[in-house]
Amino acid sequence: MSDGDAKSLGASRRRTGGCICGGIRYAAPEPLRPINTCHCRECRQMAGGPSSFTACDAVGFAFTQGEELVRWFPGPTSSTGGERGFCSTCGTYLLFRIPDDPLLYFSATSLDDETGLRVEAHIFWDSRAPWEAADGLPTVDGYGEEGLESLYDA
């Protein structure tokens, strides 16, 4: 599917994005989940700071270009067994997937257009760097007692 094909499906149904070099492009089905900012040590080390991710139904997510450029890296200390997906050309940290999770998580900053989404919570707040200050949004230690999925329950 090309970017043009993804956009022809209607902006209200799919959102497009990609890596900084343009080698990887994707189309994500709406609705997108609220943005959560992750402060876990792995995200901070891999992204150079907290990572803000949204999510969509994994089944509807499609690479429109460059899927072969995605390199998956298993998180050696991930409490979920999750893997992070990077562009092998430019190094952009784009994706996060958890085994058996129906959602695919992707960097909110990789989206092409404004979505109206905002950060709704900080996860792994207990793992934040000492210089990270609270901003008044809800904070959750780890994923919270209910798990990550509960942050997306309507």
Side-chain angles (χ1 to χ4, degrees):
M1 176 188 307
S2 72
D3 275 347
D5 293 337
K7 288 179 182 174
S8 72
L9 293 173
S12 65
R13 292 181 54 197
R14 299 183 77 71
R15 295 291 184 150
T16 59
C19 65
I20 195 166
C21 75
I24 298 172
R25 301 289 303 150
Y26 66 80
E30 288 192 328
L32 300 181
R33 303 319 192 270
I35 297 170
N36 286 302
T37 299
C38 184
H39 298 265
C40 80
R41 183 166 176 78
E42 282 188 5
C43 277
R44 289 188 293 112
Q45 287 185 313
M46 291 186 186
S51 300
S52 295
F53 280 77
T54 183
C56 67
D57 291 326
V59 171
F61 184 92
F63 289 101
T64 59
Q65 176 183 301
E67 182 174 5
E68 71 282 359
L69 297 175
V70 177
R71 296 297 178 264
W72 291 98
F73 180 77
T77 62
S78 175
S79 61
T80 64
E83 295 181 304
R84 290 163 175 82
F86 296 84
C87 174
S88 61
T89 301
C90 67
T92 299
Y93 174 21
L94 280 173
L95 306 159
F96 182 69
R97 65 183 179 189
I98 300 171
D100 302 318
D101 191 327
L103 298 176
L104 178 69
Y105 305 87
F106 58 95
S107 172
T109 60
S110 70
L111 288 160
D112 291 332
D113 300 312
E114 172 60 42
T115 62
L117 296 173
R118 299 291 177 259
V119 175
E120 291 198 357
H122 295 277
I123 60 174
F124 284 90
W125 188 246
D126 52 333
S127 299
R128 72 188 179 281
W131 60 83
E132 294 180 64
D135 59 9
L137 293 173
T139 61
V140 178
D141 289 344
Y143 286 128
E145 291 180 22
E146 303 292 320
L148 184 57
E149 299 79 17
S150 68
L151 296 173
Y152 295 113
D153 290 343

